[in-house]
Amino acid sequence: MAAAVPLAVLALLLLGPGGRSYAEPLRDSLREELVITPLPSGDVAATFQFRTRWDSDLLQEEVSHYRLFPKALGQLISKYSLRELHLSLTQGFWRTRYWGPPFLQAPSGAELWVWFQDTVTDVDKSWKELSNILSGIFCASLNFIDSSNTVTPTASFKPLGLANGTDHYFLRYAVLPREVVCTENLTPWKKLLPCSSKAGLSVLLKAERLFHTSYHSQAVHIRPVCRNARCTSVSWELRQTLSVVFDAFVTGQGKKDWSLFRMFSRTLTEPCPLASESRVYVDITSSSQDNETLEVNPPPLTTYQDVILGTRRTYAVYDLLDMAVISSSRNLNIQLKWKRPLENGYIHYQPAQDRLQPHLLEMLIQLPANSVSKVSIQFERALLKWTEYTPDPNHGFYVSPSVLSALVPSMVAAKPVDWEESPLFSSLFPVSDSSSYFVRLYTEPLLVSLPTPDFSMPYNVICLTCTVVAVCYGSFYNLLTRTFHIEEPSTGGLAKRLANLIRRARGVPPL
């Protein structure tokens, strides 16, 4: 009988007036997207976007139930009367010269800019309290934001969402360039997602892989948008974006080929059950690059074209909600391969691994006559262990010479002879015809100077340590092994007494 009460209450909740079933329509939605872009430099950029839209006016309505929209951010909007909030945490710098324009640009470190409603009386106080709360939510050093690093721009940072006015008095902007982005910032960012990192595109957000990249930027954008075409009501939109750039030559062992598993160490198995859209876009606009052909596997079922950043782009679309995309192999591992013609070789690069193997760079090029070619490689000086230095570390370290192999056109046509019988070194490098001859040249070894530590310090430390150990050990050993004997003082005999009497008479101290 006791179990019938909750069942009756549940039945009343599911039944509407007149005993008919009643279900309130969903007021929120989630769309997740992943855009993979091969960059001109050979790297690969991956941009995640999770868009949560809530058809509710948080400033006018009292909300107590949250489904997809994060409750922590919803309460911030209501408490501090926020119009817009934009927060980004970035490690590295987007190199537009080599990678092209990004979807979303962000400075290195932490960036926060907020538009408050015109009903806020003390903007500076709300700005300070808001930065402290965001510091706790995202485990960042936003609590160091104060009046010394806060500005109020008047020309930049216009509202990105629905706005009735642009009084810049209600705008605050701050940047912390020294903020270091790490796993502590990524974990609370992922917890704001409706599916966290359990299903959908968020399963690829593995911290070990995301922070082993050339560029990492995660952001949160909150703004009001129109709910319908006439904009008679307001909805709130939350965009969580994450952009990373993978070094394809390092992750691909010297090749530009890549796959989802190679980049993220995981594949896609299912969409987020709370998402209305879950798609992966692969940029296949540059189908030919450096005489190479781009091949995407598995072949996409659909493609999408649009003008992005002033350029018409073509994308291969993989819809995770389409059962045909995943059901065939129970997982989705998108692969991209660059195929080059057999007759044209270009560049072979094998990256180095610390203390395991050196760099290897091979290029097959054709140089015109009377021309100068320059090859430059960027490198970073690594810190060596003190046992890895040579006996003369101030002299520097040698880098192996480069090798140049070429077929040089011959000035004089040689007669065809038997290669085995030819004298000198002709038989060492045979050629197919007499119009050219083979030459192999070597450059000079490169001497690189590295920072040299003070090698006298280990000697001083060893000497001081040995001295302290010897003194301590000797003292303890002496106390543990020494034998103490108590000797009774002797009073002396008759001869000593007579001697002392004589010494007193002569004024000499006694014995």
Side-chain angles (χ1 to χ4, degrees):
M1 188 64 184
V5 176
L7 292 178
V9 175
L10 181 60
L12 291 177
L13 292 177
L14 295 179
L15 295 178
R20 293 174 298 178
S21 62
Y22 174 78
E24 183 180 357
L26 298 178
R27 302 174 59 186
D28 50 4
S29 60
L30 170 65
R31 300 170 59 184
E32 55 179 7
E33 302 170 350
L34 169 59
V35 182
I36 301 177
T37 307
L39 301 178
S41 61
D43 301 325
V44 179
T47 304
F48 294 84
Q49 180 174 240
F50 303 89
R51 290 189 288 178
T52 304
R53 179 171 175 173
W54 195 8
D55 296 339
S56 175
D57 193 349
L58 298 177
L59 299 178
Q60 303 295 335
E61 304 175 6
E62 293 184 2
V63 181
S64 59
H65 175 68
Y66 290 82
R67 179 174 174 264
L68 299 181
F69 203 93
K71 184 177 181 180
L73 300 182
Q75 292 178 342
L76 286 182
I77 297 175
S78 303
K79 181 177 181 180
Y80 293 100
S81 300
L82 301 182
R83 180 190 299 177
E84 289 190 15
L85 185 147
H86 305 273
L87 171 65
S88 65
L89 301 172
T90 305
Q91 186 74 22
F93 180 75
W94 184 275
R95 305 188 180 278
T96 307
R97 180 180 179 183
Y98 303 100
W99 299 340
F103 289 104
L104 293 174
Q105 182 67 279
S108 300
E111 180 193 42
L112 176 64
W113 57 287
V114 177
W115 277 92
F116 293 91
Q117 296 287 343
D118 52 7
T119 56
V120 178
T121 56
D122 193 344
V123 178
D124 294 330
K125 180 181 178 181
S126 300
W127 166 255
K128 181 61 178 178
E129 293 179 359
L130 176 64
S131 60
N132 290 334
I133 295 178
L134 292 176
S135 177
I137 294 177
F138 295 98
C139 296
S141 302
L142 301 177
N143 56 309
F144 287 97
I145 294 179
D146 52 18
S147 59
S148 63
N149 49 30
T150 300
V151 296
T152 304
T154 58
S156 303
F157 301 99
K158 299 293 184 180
L160 301 181
L162 181 63
N164 296 326
T166 57
D167 188 357
H168 288 79
Y169 171 76
F170 300 97
L171 170 64
R172 293 296 182 270
Y173 175 86
V175 176
L176 299 177
R178 296 189 61 182
E179 181 69 17
V180 179
V181 185
C182 59
T183 309
E184 295 179 355
N185 309 119
L186 180 63
T187 301
W189 185 90
K190 292 192 297 184
K191 289 183 178 180
L192 297 178
L193 299 174
C195 288
S196 185
S197 58
K198 307 300 182 182
L201 299 180
S202 58
V203 299
L204 302 178
L205 302 178
K206 189 177 181 180
E208 179 184 355
R209 303 298 302 169
L210 295 180
F211 289 100
H212 190 64
T213 55
S214 303
Y215 176 82
H216 175 99
S217 179
Q218 61 187 61
V220 173
H221 304 278
I222 302 176
R223 64 174 182 173
V225 295
C226 295
R227 190 177 304 180
N228 48 39
R230 295 183 179 181
C231 203
T232 57
S233 55
V234 179
S235 299
W236 284 93
E237 181 188 67
L238 167 64
R239 293 199 182 205
Q240 294 181 246
T241 62
L242 188 144
S243 302
V244 290
V245 175
F246 291 91
D247 191 339
F249 289 102
V250 174
T251 57
Q253 298 297 324
K255 299 180 181 180
K256 295 195 298 182
D257 302 344
W258 59 264
S259 65
L260 288 181
F261 184 79
R262 178 175 293 176
M263 290 190 298
F264 302 103
S265 297
R266 292 176 179 175
T267 57
L268 297 174
T269 56
E270 61 178 349
C272 175
L274 301 176
S276 58
E277 290 186 9
S278 181
R279 298 177 179 177
V280 179
Y281 297 86
V282 180
D283 190 349
I284 57 175
T285 305
S286 302
S287 57
S288 62
Q289 185 180 32
D290 297 335
N291 294 334
E292 293 178 324
T293 304
L294 179 63
E295 179 181 319
V296 181
N297 189 36
L301 300 179
T302 58
T303 58
Y304 172 76
Q305 289 187 355
D306 198 354
V307 178
I308 307 296
L309 299 175
T311 305
R312 182 169 295 278
R313 316 296 296 182
T314 303
Y315 296 92
V317 182
Y318 298 88
D319 191 354
L320 299 185
L321 297 180
D322 187 357
M323 300 304 298
V325 174
I326 299 181
S327 61
S328 59
S329 59
R330 294 187 179 181
N331 63 59
L332 178 61
N333 183 25
I334 304 176
Q335 300 179 359
L336 185 146
K337 296 182 179 180
W338 292 95
K339 289 191 174 182
R340 64 182 62 179
L342 297 178
E343 62 274 8
N344 296 329
Y346 276 99
I347 297 176
H348 173 241
Y349 174 66
Q350 180 179 347
Q353 298 182 9
D354 292 342
R355 301 174 179 86
L356 293 179
Q357 67 180 17
H359 286 279
L360 174 61
L361 175 62
E362 292 181 309
M363 296 185 297
L364 180 60
I365 57 178
Q366 184 175 1
L367 301 178
N370 300 324
S371 64
V372 177
S373 298
K374 181 180 180 180
V375 178
S376 60
I377 301 177
Q378 296 182 356
F379 67 95
E380 296 180 357
R381 291 180 171 86
L383 296 178
L384 301 179
K385 299 179 181 179
W386 70 276
T387 56
E388 295 177 345
Y389 284 90
T390 58
D392 53 345
N394 293 317
H395 182 71
F397 294 81
Y398 285 97
V399 178
S400 303
S402 301
V403 183
L404 176 62
S405 302
L407 286 176
V408 181
S410 179
M411 301 298 296
V412 179
K415 296 181 180 180
V417 296
D418 188 3
W419 291 106
E420 296 295 336
E421 301 297 334
S422 61
L424 302 180
F425 298 97
S426 300
S427 61
L428 186 58
F429 302 111
V431 292
S432 58
D433 55 12
S434 59
S435 62
S436 60
Y437 59 94
F438 180 82
V439 174
R440 179 176 293 162
L441 303 177
Y442 295 88
T443 62
E444 291 185 90
L446 180 63
L447 185 62
V448 180
S449 298
L450 296 178
T452 305
D454 185 6
F455 288 99
S456 63
M457 291 302 297
Y459 174 77
N460 298 335
V461 172
I462 292 174
C463 292
L464 178 61
T465 304
C466 293
T467 302
V468 173
V469 172
V471 172
C472 296
Y473 176 77
S475 301
F476 280 105
Y477 182 80
N478 192 15
L479 292 175
L480 294 175
T481 58
R482 175 180 294 180
T483 304
F484 295 92
H485 299 279
I486 299 177
E487 296 183 357
E488 297 290 340
S490 57
T491 57
L494 180 61
K496 184 176 181 180
R497 295 178 181 177
L498 293 176
N500 288 333
L501 291 176
I502 296 173
R503 294 174 69 89
R504 288 198 188 103
R506 298 177 57 184
V508 179
L511 296 175

